[in-house]
Amino acid sequence: VFANDPPTSAQDTSFVQLETDPLIGEQNAFTLRFANASPTDTGFGPYVDLYLPQTGADGLGDGTIPGDEHDGIGFVSATYLGQSLTSHVITLTDDPAGVPHPFAKDSSGNPRMITPTDFPGFKAGDQLVVLELPLGSVTPGQPAVDVVVTTTVDAKADINVPLDVVAQAGFRFGGDPVDNPTADPPLLGTASTQPFTPTLYRITKENLAHEYETATGPNFTQQFRLRVDIADGQTVTDLSFSDTLPD
């Protein structure tokens, strides 16, 4: 779903075990998987840039004026094997020069500058979260590194309006362990996007039949259970729904 295709850089990211329709006003967790996609090259200093649409669908507000708060998706935490990761949370600005990456550099040795225009749809006030992986390097064939990322969806988020989250993997030191960007430039994968759609409630259906199967006919009556999960702090009135079974 959420994969980079880096033919010359060795990193690859994918998002797994994720709920793409998170409930407003609640936290949403997903697993970010980092792997070395190169068959031959080791990468050094692995990290992930995670872009979150904190300003929401309208992209308004800098969070400083009451009633003008962010109403999108914001960062909470990230862990690897249950341990908290070093996370750099940066708020994007409308300065055309951008904001400096906390440690990534370009091939000239200067800090890599980040602007909202680097990714269509992102605006000043959105978040760049840089996750440092607790590994010196990632080798070809090494088991994937699974990072659990927790975000929060604002209670005022626009319902049923998709918000794009962007991930981009990198190796800060490139192909050797030395911080020498002019000789060995850092590696950066191709960014890709996953939409998350804030929702007010979620309906799930559970098959109560033994081992989830049955024979047909009136002697084999079975039941289903339907659950409605309403977002925390929200009130829904006059809610009705029907479940029509096929013949």
Side-chain angles (χ1 to χ4, degrees):
V1 198
F2 212 155
N4 290 334
D5 181 22
T8 57
S9 55
Q11 66 278 31
D12 180 56
T13 54
S14 60
F15 275 53
V16 297
Q17 301 173 1
L18 72 170
E19 174 56 66
T20 56
D21 297 325
L23 296 172
I24 61 173
E26 296 189 14
Q27 292 187 351
N28 181 47
F30 50 84
T31 299
L32 169 63
R33 178 163 292 167
F34 185 107
N36 188 336
S38 171
T40 57
D41 299 328
T42 296
F44 293 84
Y47 71 93
V48 175
D49 288 339
L50 185 66
Y51 294 85
L52 298 174
Q54 182 177 231
T55 59
D58 54 18
L60 300 176
D62 59 6
T64 61
I65 303 174
D68 193 29
E69 296 86 3
H70 298 143
D71 59 358
I73 298 175
F75 179 73
V76 176
S77 64
T79 61
Y80 171 60
L81 298 179
Q83 300 299 313
S84 296
L85 292 183
T86 299
S87 306
H88 306 267
V89 182
I90 300 169
T91 300
L92 300 179
T93 72
D94 55 9
D95 184 341
V99 294
H101 194 280
F103 50 74
K105 301 176 182 178
D106 59 25
S107 58
S108 299
N110 299 314
R112 184 161 66 89
M113 304 301 292
I114 311 295
T115 68
T117 56
D118 291 340
F119 300 101
F122 280 81
K123 308 170 183 68
D126 288 333
Q127 287 183 332
L128 162 62
V129 182
V130 182
L131 305 175
E132 294 189 49
L133 303 189
L135 302 169
S137 63
V138 180
T139 61
Q142 180 175 329
V145 179
D146 284 351
V147 175
V148 178
V149 178
T150 301
T151 59
T152 184
V153 182
D154 193 272
K156 297 179 181 179
D158 295 80
I159 295 172
N160 297 328
V161 178
L163 297 173
D164 288 340
V165 173
V166 175
Q168 191 169 26
F171 286 116
R172 62 188 294 184
F173 299 130
D176 65 38
V178 182
D179 187 9
N180 54 348
T182 57
D184 176 33
L187 299 174
L188 190 63
T190 303
S192 51
T193 303
Q194 171 68 51
F196 289 80
T197 304
T199 187
L200 177 61
Y201 60 84
R202 186 182 298 130
I203 299 177
T204 57
K205 183 176 180 178
E206 180 183 3
N207 184 349
L208 301 184
H210 179 64
E211 295 185 347
Y212 310 111
E213 59 185 20
T214 185
T216 59
N219 293 332
F220 301 95
T221 301
Q222 304 294 346
Q223 291 183 322
F224 295 98
R225 178 184 290 123
L226 290 99
R227 300 178 184 271
V228 181
D229 182 9
I230 299 173
D232 292 347
Q234 302 298 320
T235 301
V236 176
T237 58
D238 299 326
L239 174 65
S240 64
F241 60 91
S242 61
D243 182 35
T244 302
L245 298 176
D247 292 341

